[in-house]
Amino acid sequence: MPTTKKEQIVFGMMMCTGMVIVMMTFNLWHNGLLSKMSALDILLQFILCFIIAFLVEFFIVGPVARKIAFSLPFDKSNKILGVLAMSFFMVIGMVLIMSLYGMISAYLANQLNGASVLSTYLHTIARNFSLALPYQLIILGPLVRYVFGKFIKDKGSVVPST
């Protein structure tokens, strides 16, 4: 787990990259847009989505999730419970905000087709949460923690801030 600001940035970028690639691809596919967009359009969409997701995660969701997760009454020395609590609240916050981003994008691209914004938003949250939580807990979270611990944390690649 990251301990310095620089480590938090590297860890957050790794996590955001993995989540944005999978969630963006899933949503583009689900909305039938993946085959209709050029590679350049998909790349530009990824860059914009990544920037927004990283900023939201680093400045809003991360601090709030950390505060909530570590205010819960559990044994703080149990690292697994800490990781699970933090991951759970991160996914909730990111799904709520990034689903809103997706709704705004769909609205601006006239993709809502007259559907109710509220019901579409709630459906999008449920759909995104059903993929994001297991993906985060089972695949991406452990993978990023392993890579981060093996190649970043142990190698001293990230210099602690002074």
Side-chain angles (χ1 to χ4, degrees), residues 10-64:
V10 171
F11 186 83
M13 290 179 80
M14 292 169 70
M15 201 63 81
C16 276
T17 299
M19 289 302 291
V20 169
I21 287 171
V22 168
M23 297 306 296
M24 190 185 90
T25 302
F26 172 70
N27 279 291
L28 289 175
W29 170 79
H30 184 270
N31 291 313
L33 297 173
L34 198 56
S35 61
K36 295 178 182 176
M37 295 174 70
S38 71
L40 181 60
D41 288 338
I42 292 172
L43 178 63
L44 292 173
Q45 183 76 11
F46 168 78
I47 291 168
L48 179 61
C49 191
F50 173 82
I51 291 168
I52 291 170
F54 180 77
L55 292 173
V56 165
E57 185 271 330
F58 195 76
F59 292 108
I60 300 169
V61 174
V64 172

Side-chain angles (χ1 to χ4, degrees), residues 62-78:
V64 172
R66 197 176 293 87
K67 199 171 282 189
I68 294 170
F70 292 108
S71 70
L72 295 175
F74 68 89
D75 179 13
K76 306 302 188 274
S77 66
N78 186 332

